[in-house]
């Protein structure tokens, strides 16, 4: 997702200006990508304040490490990876949030749901709202995979879970979200 009003060439120019310490280029990149980066952080964290902090930390890290951006990927994808990793760091700092607890519970469950069956068509805002009502483990795994594009292997590594636990959690989360979408639309149709 590149900013709708900026080209890839313009991104490259802004990144080059940032490498030279141009603060106005940093402000421009921030203004272009703050909202989508906040949304990514919020989908993972489910908390506005933490999402803002993770987003700001992500931008700071990106600007400090701008020389490590090699240009082989799109800048916003590189930035999103940093912001999501910062969000995961915030999750790790939360007291009582231990991914091992779901790994143990899910280890014995079957892992047989298909991967790419999509949800029934629904407005993105409604899906986002319903996603926020899921158990936080489900929300995190589902958000990382479906919305941020992480593979199951990457999620397992980032969250310290087994691959099988991630797949099972993802399958169960998808099923739970599908059920919530179905219930939501049934209630709208009945009213």
């Amino acid at each position: 997702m590149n900013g709708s009003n900026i080209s890839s060439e313009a991104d490259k120019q802004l990144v080059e200006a940032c490498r030279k310490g141009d603060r106005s280029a940093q402000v421009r990149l921030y203004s272009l990508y703050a909202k989508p980066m906040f949304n990514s952080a919020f989908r993972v964290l489910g908390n506005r304040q933490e999402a803002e902090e993770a987003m700001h930390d992500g931008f700071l890290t990106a600007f400090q490490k701008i020389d490590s951006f090699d240009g082989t990927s799109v800048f916003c994808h590189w930035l999103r990876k940093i912001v999501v990793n910062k969000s995961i760091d915030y999750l790790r700092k939360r007291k009582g949030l231990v991914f091992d607890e779901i790994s143990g519970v899910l280890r014995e469950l079957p892992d047989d749901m298909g991967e790419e069956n999509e949800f029934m068509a629904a407005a993105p805002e409604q899906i986002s709202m319903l996603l926020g009502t899921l158990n936080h483990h489900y929300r995190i795994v589902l958000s990382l995979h479906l919305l941020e594009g992480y593979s199951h292997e990457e999620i397992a590594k980032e969250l310290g879970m087994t691959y099988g636990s991630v797949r099972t959690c993802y399958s169960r989360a998808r099923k739970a979200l599908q059920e919530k979408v179905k219930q939501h639309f049934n209630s709208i149709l009945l009213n």
Side-chain angles (χ1 to χ4, degrees):
M1 161 199 277
N2 205 352
S4 59
N5 57 355
I6 189 164
S7 70
S8 182
E9 189 56 40
D11 268 3
K12 289 177 187 175
Q13 291 172 356
L14 286 170
V15 168
E16 285 309 311
C18 287
R19 284 188 172 129
K20 295 175 183 172
D22 183 340
R23 295 278 184 200
S24 65
Q26 290 178 345
V27 169
R28 178 78 174 130
L29 281 173
Y30 183 89
S31 68
L32 287 169
Y33 296 117
K35 185 174 181 176
M37 294 308 128
F38 170 80
N39 290 338
S40 291
F42 185 73
R43 283 189 295 262
V44 172
L45 292 163
N47 176 292
R48 288 184 114 24
Q49 183 178 353
E50 284 181 328
E52 282 185 21
E53 291 173 15
M55 178 201 58
H56 290 301
D57 288 352
F59 271 102
L60 287 173
T61 298
F63 292 143
Q64 290 168 350
K65 297 184 178 194
I66 197 82
D67 288 333
S68 69
F69 175 66
D70 61 9
T72 58
S73 65
V74 179
F75 176 75
C76 71
H77 294 243
W78 180 76
L79 177 60
R80 178 171 281 116
K81 182 94 170 160
I82 292 170
V83 170
V84 168
N85 284 336
K86 291 292 181 185
S87 300
I88 292 169
D89 289 343
Y90 274 80
L91 286 174
R92 288 185 179 126
K93 291 176 187 175
R94 284 185 188 169
K95 289 184 178 183
L97 181 61
V98 181
F99 288 96
D100 291 340
E101 66 190 51
I102 62 166
S103 289
V105 170
L106 298 175
R107 195 167 288 125
E108 302 302 318
L109 297 173
D111 186 23
D112 59 359
M113 284 188 71
E115 259 312 289
E116 298 307 320
N117 293 334
E118 286 300 321
F119 308 106
M120 60 179 66
E125 306 83 37
Q126 292 165 325
I127 294 293
S128 181
M129 183 255 324
L130 293 171
L131 182 63
T133 66
L134 291 177
N135 164 298
H136 66 275
H137 294 107
Y138 285 1
R139 187 191 75 248
I140 293 162
V141 171
L142 195 63
S143 294
L144 289 174
H145 185 69
L146 283 181
L147 305 173
E148 304 304 333
Y150 278 55
S151 70
H152 293 302
E153 293 87 359
E154 291 170 320
I155 296 169
K157 181 180 176 189
E158 289 294 327
L159 301 181
M161 295 171 65
T162 65
Y163 172 81
S165 293
V166 169
R167 286 197 34 97
T168 301
C169 186
Y170 170 73
S171 295
R172 293 175 65 84
R174 245 185 51 235
K175 187 175 181 179
L177 184 57
Q178 285 172 329
E179 187 59 36
K180 286 184 179 283
V181 168
K182 189 179 192 181
Q183 289 171 357
H184 177 74
F185 284 101
N186 283 340
S187 71
I188 290 172
L189 292 174
L190 294 175
N191 290 330

